[in-house]
Amino acid sequence: MISLHTFNLIVIGWIIAGLITFPLTLSITAPYGRHTKKGWGPLINNRIAWILMEAPVLMIFALLFLLGPNPKSITTWIFFALFMIHYVHRVFIFPLRIRTKGKKMPVSVMLMAVCFNLINGFLIGYWFGFLSHAYPLSWLSDPRFIIGVLVFIAGMVINIHSDQVLLDLRKGGRTGYSIPYGGFFRYISCPNFFGEILEWSGYALLTWCLPTLSFLVWTIINLVPRALDHHRWYNNSFPDYPTGRKAILPYIL
Ligand code: NDP
């Protein structure tokens, strides 16, 4: 079993690794979706890649949480439920709804995502299953928990709604890309990423621990550069792209 001290060092190391990686993710455009390009090795069906790269986090988190010796409380079951709701949607619902027929993703990108997801799923699951201090029932009335849950839910609603707007752009067999409107698209190009970051900010707040903070840091490191790339791409591709829109943070970035 990993000691609390070693575990904390691993998580801090993982956060530092993320911060070191950030300039790299800012300078290299992740080559999937609209940014797919040759030179990243063999390709795999887009839908299958999504399932394969997101499933590990769900499995490893659930296994460690459920099999770990830590006593479960109503509070930790709520942590478990919120995490699982997000990932059941991400693994079993989102990939089946995307309209990317014939599209492929580099296997290398998928494998990087698998590693990223395994590490995050391991750290969060191991924390709750093996190491975390007891989260008592009184934690449910702590402002960090209450605000965190509200932020998490708001983020999930924005994320799912925004992904839905994007998927609807290809209704009726349409392919290619068009300008999304409505909801938070009024303010930013990538409200789905904004919602995802809100979700994990809420989760870090409501669980108040290092592993969920490290997951938030890595989510920001992944999604802010992708949002900047998408925003640049929209502006270059559509002369009539709404000028007031920012990339990921309304009015700011
Ligand atoms: P995108 O916004 O790039 O794409 C989402 C879907 O909508 C894709 O199927 C895409 O098709 C389609 N789409 C996007 N824009 C348009 C448009 N203008 N017109 C028509 N169709 C469009 O998101 P990602 O694929 O990168 O991510 C999907 C989800 O996964 C998001 O909710 C995101 O938050 C989450 N995610 C979370 C990460 C994390 O670190 N926690 C990391 C990466 C993603 P196509 O694929 O053909 O471009």
Side-chain angles (χ1 to χ4, degrees):
M1 185 161 149
I2 307 172
S3 73
L4 181 61
H5 178 69
T6 308
F7 181 82
N8 283 339
L9 286 180
I10 293 171
V11 181
I12 291 168
W14 181 233
I15 293 176
I16 293 172
L19 297 176
I20 293 171
T21 310
F22 196 36
L24 210 68
T25 56
L26 276 172
S27 59
I28 300 174
T29 301
Y32 69 93
R34 77 199 65 190
H35 308 293
T36 302
K37 59 177 177 224
K38 288 190 178 139
W40 285 76
L43 302 171
I44 179 171
N45 173 284
N46 198 60
R47 195 190 302 276
I48 293 173
W50 268 104
I51 296 173
L52 291 181
M53 67 189 181
E54 298 293 330
V57 68
L58 180 84
M59 289 190 291
I60 194 163
F61 169 79
L63 276 177
L64 291 170
F65 181 95
L66 296 172
L67 299 181
N70 265 10
K72 316 293 181 259
S73 65
I74 292 181
T75 313
T76 52
W77 278 119
I78 294 175
F79 299 165
F80 179 76
L82 294 177
F83 196 90
M84 292 302 279
I85 289 168
H86 174 92
Y87 271 101
V88 165
H89 172 264
R90 180 65 73 231
V91 176
F92 297 112
I93 301 175
F94 176 75
L96 301 181
R97 305 195 62 235
I98 50 178
R99 297 187 167 105
T100 55
K101 200 167 170 235
K103 281 204 164 185
K104 292 184 188 288
M105 178 187 292
V107 175
S108 54
V109 171
M110 185 194 78
L111 290 179
M112 279 189 263
V114 168
C115 291
F116 162 78
N117 281 333
L118 277 177
I119 294 172
N120 286 312
F122 171 80
L123 292 178
I124 302 175
Y126 198 85
W127 170 254
F128 290 132
F130 290 77
L131 290 175
S132 76
H133 56 86
Y135 287 91
L137 209 56
S138 59
W139 180 251
L140 300 184
S141 55
D142 189 289
R144 285 167 290 184
F145 178 84
I146 296 168
I147 298 169
V149 168
L150 293 176
V151 172
F152 180 87
I153 293 172
M156 182 175 269
V157 170
I158 294 172
N159 174 260
I160 293 178
H161 173 262
S162 310
D163 273 338
Q164 187 58 49
V165 170
L166 293 174
L167 300 188
D168 285 348
L169 293 173
R170 291 192 183 147
K171 258 185 179 167
R174 267 174 292 170
T175 55
Y177 295 91
S178 29
I179 303 176
Y181 291 98
F184 268 72
F185 285 103
R186 281 176 62 191
Y187 310 104
I188 47 179
S189 295
C190 301
N192 50 345
F193 301 160
F194 171 68
E196 180 101 21
I197 290 172
L198 269 190
E199 265 183 77
W200 298 117
S201 307
Y203 199 72
L205 190 59
L206 77 96
T207 55
W208 202 251
C209 61
L210 265 185
T212 54
L213 176 69
S214 81
F215 187 33
L216 169 64
V217 169
W218 272 95
T219 299
I220 292 171
I221 287 162
N222 281 333
L223 293 182
V224 168
R226 186 159 172 79
L228 295 173
D229 288 333
H230 276 21
H231 187 62
R232 213 173 294 121
W233 179 92
Y234 275 123
N235 277 308
N236 292 337
S237 306
F238 298 101
D240 54 340
Y241 196 66
T243 47
R245 245 181 234 191
K246 295 288 183 185
I248 185 156
L249 211 52
Y251 305 110
I252 297 172
L253 181 65

